[in-house]
């Protein structure tokens, strides 16, 4: 991690080691280096996600550089979902985008889904455009 700071990174991403078990090495390292803001999110498919901010001194008499760190879960689907929901907007924000959030699209589903009433759920989907599906509503 020290070499990453010396190279002047803005964001640190780790994946595959953040979990809900005792063998998580990322969170203690981030706690040692900076402030961990959270290490769990209430959503499916995921639970473990660590977000931290680390201050790294650049040189004497200069304010420390702040680096954000994300510890993504080991599950590939959870990792990808967390990357798109949390990391992409952070990268866009740091790049100066006026609206860094992901595009949201309203759609109808062909079959019902049982949702968890406590944790928001994100599902894989294939979006198809139909000009007339019989509902009277285009798309």
């Amino acid at each position: 991690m020290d070499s990453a700071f010396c190279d002047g990174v803005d964001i640190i991403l780790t994946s595959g080691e953040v979990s809900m078990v005792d063998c998580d090495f990322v969170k203690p390292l981030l706690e040692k280096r900076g402030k961990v803001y959270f290490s769990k999110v209430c959503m499916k498919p995921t639970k473990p996600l660590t977000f931290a901010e680390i201050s790294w001194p650049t040189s004497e008499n200069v304010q420390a550089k702040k680096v954000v760190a994300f510890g993504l879960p080991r599950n590939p689907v959870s990792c990808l979902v967390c990357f798109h929901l949390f990391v992409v907007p952070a990268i866009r924000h740091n790049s100066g985008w006026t609206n860094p959030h992901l595009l949201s699209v309203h759609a109808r589903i062909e079959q019902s889904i049982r949702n968890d009433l406590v944790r928001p759920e994100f599902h894989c989907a294939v979006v198809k455009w139909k000009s007339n599906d019989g509902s009277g509503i285009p798309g």
Side-chain angles (χ1 to χ4, degrees):
M1 222 185 249
D2 290 341
S3 64
F5 289 123
C6 292
D7 288 341
V9 299
D10 296 315
I11 296 177
I12 293 178
L13 296 178
T14 65
S15 65
E17 295 196 31
V18 176
S19 66
M20 299 302 293
V21 296
D22 293 335
C23 63
D24 180 1
F25 300 108
V26 174
K27 185 180 171 193
L29 181 61
L30 294 174
E31 287 173 332
K32 182 179 171 185
R33 295 288 190 164
K35 179 178 181 182
V36 173
Y37 288 96
F38 59 85
S39 58
K40 296 178 190 172
V41 290
C42 185
M43 62 183 251
K44 285 184 180 179
T46 193
K47 201 168 195 176
L49 169 72
T50 300
F51 175 71
E53 186 177 65
I54 301 162
S55 294
W56 186 258
T58 53
S59 64
E60 289 187 34
N61 299 327
V62 177
Q63 186 177 7
K65 178 180 178 172
K66 295 203 185 269
V67 175
V68 293
F70 292 91
L72 301 173
R74 82 176 66 198
N75 178 290
V77 173
S78 297
C79 184
L80 187 63
V81 169
C82 286
F83 178 79
H84 282 285
L85 291 177
F86 296 95
V87 179
V88 169
I91 292 170
R92 289 176 175 178
H93 176 76
N94 286 354
S95 299
W97 286 41
T98 55
N99 183 9
H101 302 289
L102 299 174
L103 177 65
S104 177
V105 178
H106 291 275
R108 286 187 307 277
I109 56 175
E110 291 181 346
Q111 59 194 35
S112 62
I113 297 175
R114 291 181 51 183
N115 284 329
D116 187 318
L117 298 176
V118 178
R119 296 192 316 178
E121 295 186 37
F122 295 86
H123 296 270
C124 296
V126 174
V127 178
K128 297 178 187 175
W129 179 268
K130 291 183 180 179
S131 58
N132 184 359
D133 66 355
S135 68
I137 303 170

